[in-house]
Amino acid sequence: MAGESIKRIGVLTGGGDCPGLNAVIRAVVKTAIGQYGWQVIGIEDGFEGLVAPDKARPLSLQDVRGILPRGGTILGTTNRCNPFACPVVEGGQKKLVDKSGDVVARIRELGIDALVVIGGDGSLKIALELYHLGVPVVGVPKTIDNDLSATDVTFGFDTALTTATDALDKLHTTAESHHRVMVIEVMGRNAGWIALMAGLAGGADVILIPEIPFQIDPICAKVRQRDEQGNKFSIVVVAEGAKPAGGEVVARGVDELGFPRLGGIAYRVGDQVALCSEHEVRVTVLGHLQRGGSPTPFDRILGTRFGTEAVRLAAAGGFGQMVALHGLHVEAVPLEEAVGVQKLVPPDGELVRTAKAMGVIFGD
Ligand code: F6P
């Protein structure tokens, strides 16, 4: 369906939230209504909103007033229901049911001529599968981890990076006062972008990322070296997905999708550094603070550009595609190319080299 035949579009946010989602929703609504005269239906709680009967509502200009600086998503989000394998409890037993047929029927019932899916890798994969079933879908990439390969940057990352850098700055002053080693854990499941960039911006001494398995000895040596140089404190940034060489990630249980719920590697590192140095060690796990709060100007602007371009893409009939930032430009890329390949930190890349030139060690 091309632009002239679209009357109504749907928009949903799937997967983990991130700052800037509301900027995208606002831009979608304002562009769709203001520039094309379409109606907009907001789907609540990700794809679950297309399975449940009462989770779709019209979005007006009034509904998106004032949401640009707000974190989170006014539509809500969840990972709970992948329409192709949605968990249901029957006879006390949990099983996965393919509800994609219901979802396609619900989209028709709602009169949605185009669906904007704002999500990370998982949600965009679902969007692609729905596209293969004939749903006119356009994607908008999001994740604080910045690990989607088809776009240079995802919105949400800059805000998370700002939060992590601010935390590092604060930990720096107290570390110095008490001559302590501070270990700070940031998000980054498979990709260490937040740890690397916050470590660079916040002047960390040690950065541990999933892409570079670490040993404890070089970390201890770094702390000792700093002592000898008269720097009686050290800052260690560790991504939640970092793992020791030959070891595993630290996790507690699994999430709704069965993936390990990461967290706690900083305590392991902290315990070991306490054993090999004279210093008191303190650990801070930043956690979901990185996912919340008001988006930075960069994320508000990128979210707005993505939202507007997603509507233009739908108007041009560019379904099965996703908006992406390439250099200074927002462009469309096929969802096929966009999902599945993660953008990881190149261990020998320029950013790691630069950090090493600053004296940072990665534990390798
Ligand atoms: O959005 C990705 C991410 O931030 C990961 O870095 C982290 O492991 C995950 O979300 C945690 O998500 P949740 O607690 O919502 O399951």
Side-chain angles (χ1 to χ4, degrees), residues 16 143-145 187-189 240 255-256 261-262 288 291:
T143 160
I144 66 161
D145 288 2
M187 280 186 170
R189 174 167 278 278
E240 62 182 352
D255 64 16
E256 302 90 336
R261 188 168 282 135
L262 300 182
H288 291 77
R291 290 247 297 260

Side-chain angles (χ1 to χ4, degrees), residues 10 12 41 43-53 55-56 81 83 99-110 112 115 117 130 135:
L12 67 80
I41 302 292
I43 317 288
E44 293 168 10
D45 296 335
F47 292 102
E48 194 174 278
L50 290 169
V51 173
K55 288 194 161 197
C81 181
K99 297 203 169 195
S100 56
D102 297 353
V103 165
V104 174
R106 180 72 177 136
I107 290 169
R108 284 211 192 98
E109 188 190 353
L110 289 167
I112 289 173
L115 179 66
V117 174
L130 289 175
V135 177

Side-chain angles (χ1 to χ4, degrees), residues 6-311:
I6 294 179
K7 292 196 172 47
R8 183 181 288 177
I9 62 167
V11 57
L12 67 80
T13 50
D17 71 343
C18 79
L21 286 169
N22 283 328
V24 184
I25 296 167
R26 172 178 174 270
V28 166
V29 170
K30 288 187 75 143
T31 309
I33 295 176
Q35 296 217 311
Y36 293 96
W38 299 343
Q39 294 175 331
V40 184
I41 302 292
I43 317 288
E44 293 168 10
D45 296 335
F47 292 102
E48 194 174 278
L50 290 169
V51 173
D54 52 359
K55 288 194 161 197
R57 58 184 155 101
L59 287 180
S60 66
L61 294 174
Q62 186 65 22
D63 289 319
V64 296
R65 231 189 66 203
I67 68 171
L68 183 59
R70 272 172 60 188
T73 158
I74 59 163
L75 292 175
T77 185
T78 173
N79 274 330
R80 273 191 304 266
C81 181
N82 171 350
F84 295 87
C86 195
V88 291
V89 179
E90 272 178 21
Q93 296 274 25
K94 194 163 145 186
K95 59 179 196 169
L96 298 178
V97 174
D98 183 352
K99 297 203 169 195
S100 56
D102 297 353
V103 165
V104 174
R106 180 72 177 136
I107 290 169
R108 284 211 192 98
E109 188 190 353
L110 289 167
I112 289 173
D113 303 312
L115 179 66
V116 178
V117 174
I118 312 167
D121 195 47
S123 303
L124 294 173
K125 271 186 193 139
I126 294 169
L128 177 60
E129 287 183 76
L130 289 175
Y131 173 67
H132 287 147
L133 292 182
V135 177
V137 171
V138 296
V140 176
K142 67 90 221 172
T143 160
I144 66 161
D145 288 2
N146 199 30
D147 58 358
L148 291 176
S149 63
T151 181
D152 291 354
V153 194
T154 47
F155 64 86
F157 173 67
D158 187 63
T159 307
L161 175 58
T162 302
T163 300
T165 303
D166 183 47
L168 249 83
D169 289 348
K170 287 176 172 152
L171 291 172
H172 236 112
T173 59
T174 174
E176 191 165 6
S177 307
H178 285 269
H179 319 296
R180 283 174 172 158
V181 175
M182 291 292 188
V183 184
I184 172 171
E185 180 174 309
V186 298
M187 280 186 170
R189 174 167 278 278
N190 301 307
W193 295 109
I194 297 177
L196 174 59
M197 304 286 259
L200 269 171
D205 306 297
V206 178
I207 300 175
L208 306 177
I209 58 176
E211 294 87 343
I212 304 178
F214 67 85
Q215 322 245 7
I216 217 69
D217 288 351
I219 303 171
C220 297
K222 177 70 183 176
V223 171
R224 274 197 299 275
Q225 183 202 51
R226 282 180 53 77
D227 282 343
E228 283 154 22
Q229 292 167 342
N231 301 312
K232 304 281 181 201
F233 69 97
S234 292
I235 305 288
V236 179
V237 186
V238 51
E240 62 182 352
K243 45 186 174 308
E248 287 307 317
V249 291
V250 177
R252 273 160 300 123
V254 291
D255 64 16
E256 302 90 336
L257 301 174
F259 293 117
R261 188 168 282 135
L262 300 182
I265 181 68
Y267 288 100
R268 299 270 175 96
V269 172
D271 287 348
Q272 287 176 292
V273 172
L275 288 176
C276 73
S277 82
E278 307 279 287
H279 292 277
E280 283 186 13
V281 177
R282 294 290 186 270
V283 172
T284 304
V285 177
L286 217 46
H288 291 77
L289 283 175
Q290 296 157 97
R291 290 247 297 260
S294 184
T296 58
F298 180 90
D299 282 338
R300 295 180 199 189
I301 294 166
L302 185 58
T304 301
R305 293 173 73 192
F306 276 0
T308 295
E309 286 302 319
V311 172

